Amino acid sequence: MKLKTLSTITLGLILFTSCSDDSTSDQFMDQNPDAVARLITNITVVSAQDTDENQNITVTYDDANRVTNVSDGIDTGLLTYQDGDLANVASNGDNFAIEELYESPYDAFETGEVINYNNDGNPVNLRFFETEYDWETNSEITTEYRAEIQYDNKLNPYFYTVQAAGGIAVMDAVELNFSANPDAPEIVQARILFPSKNIKKIIYRDLDGNLLADVNLDFVYNSDDYPTSGSVTATEYDVDEGDTTSIYTLTYTYMAAN
């Protein structure tokens, strides 16, 4: 499991659909009016099946509490600012991606289209596409699938960390002026999937409704409704080769409250 932090999620998601009327920050505050700002400083991941999958993700901040560095010990993302705004994100590895955070076996968050939102404005049904090589026809075949997302009635714990990285301001600015930066469609489209609540389950099916995989997340929350620990159970279902289940434990650490 290559778990990555969401501090640069705004640069890593590609979705194709229309935006809602509310900005990212407005939607979050509407759904979490009593939210307390907490900044993530560390996420540890321990794999139950392979210690090589263990991760230790650190987020560092400057004196103004802006994210300057995100690292998992191998890949590092460096954030720079100009006139108080996010100017650049540089990484010596892959872009941070939401699939890796949730141990997702599919690219639903990268190639998906939102079909439905719930009453809170969070996406609950996606269509997405996977391209695989067919050895019988010696050609690539693209297949359409579905993903269902369920949420805890708890705030998205990454919101204020993404905000401290300048990502929320970027999404809000693009939301207000859709053509403000036509050269960065991934930023425009990242706003579409950024939820106000914390994901607790993702279910993947084919178009016939057959269950392909699911990811279950179970969190322990503190008094501010932020997760302090949790477990991820990801199962892929295969009639021919049998089911495969992977289990991970997560621990979250936050900057001390002022």
Side-chain angles (χ1 to χ4, degrees), residues 41-180:
T41 57
N42 183 260
I43 304 174
T44 60
V45 185
V46 177
S47 169
Q49 51 279 336
D50 187 351
T51 57
D52 288 340
E53 295 179 318
N54 293 351
Q55 297 278 333
N56 184 42
I57 297 151
T58 58
V59 185
T60 57
Y61 301 82
D62 62 15
D63 292 339
N65 285 344
R66 297 178 303 188
V67 175
T68 57
N69 183 295
V70 181
S71 176
D72 63 1
I74 299 175
D75 296 334
T76 299
L78 301 175
L79 289 75
T80 57
Y81 302 85
Q82 184 175 359
D83 298 327
D85 297 323
L86 179 65
N88 186 56
V89 178
S91 174
N92 63 355
D94 296 333
N95 286 338
F96 299 123
I98 195 170
E99 289 92 348
E100 295 171 340
L101 181 73
Y102 296 115
E103 181 55 11
S104 170
Y106 295 99
D107 293 334
F109 292 91
E110 184 175 339
T111 65
E113 303 172 4
V114 179
I115 299 174
N116 297 113
Y117 294 88
N118 63 15
N119 292 334
D120 292 339
N122 295 307
V124 292
N125 296 107
L126 306 178
R127 66 166 59 91
F128 67 98
F129 305 88
E130 293 281 323
T131 300
E132 299 177 346
Y133 191 81
D134 188 326
W135 294 99
E136 294 183 0
T137 62
N138 291 322
S139 62
E140 290 186 339
I141 296 178
T142 299
T143 305
E144 181 178 345
Y145 297 99
R146 293 288 187 268
E148 306 164 19
I149 306 174
Q150 299 176 14
Y151 300 88
D152 273 338
N153 189 26
K154 304 290 185 180
L155 56 78
N156 181 343
Y158 307 101
F159 176 85
Y160 287 106
T161 302
V162 175
Q163 185 180 65
I168 300 300
V170 170
M171 285 190 281
D172 283 353
V174 174
E175 177 72 13
L176 294 173
N177 183 0
F178 200 78
S179 61

Side-chain angles (χ1 to χ4, degrees), residues 22-30 159 163 168 172 191:
D22 292 338
S23 68
T24 302
S25 53
D26 286 343
Q27 179 178 317
F28 178 85
M29 295 310 302
D30 286 345
F159 176 85
Q163 185 180 65
I168 300 300
D172 283 353
R191 182 266 172 270

Side-chain angles (χ1 to χ4, degrees), residues 38-44 227-228 251-255:
R38 300 296 300 272
L39 300 177
I40 296 171
T41 57
N42 183 260
I43 304 174
T44 60
T228 56
T251 303
Y252 293 80
T253 305
Y254 301 90
M255 183 183 295

Side-chain angles (χ1 to χ4, degrees), residues 189-209:
Q189 293 153 355
R191 182 266 172 270
I192 299 166
L193 194 62
F194 197 88
S196 60
K197 299 295 184 180
N198 197 23
I199 293 175
K200 69 175 182 180
K201 187 170 186 176
I202 309 170
I203 303 169
Y204 300 94
R205 302 182 188 275
D206 62 22
L207 293 184
D208 293 325

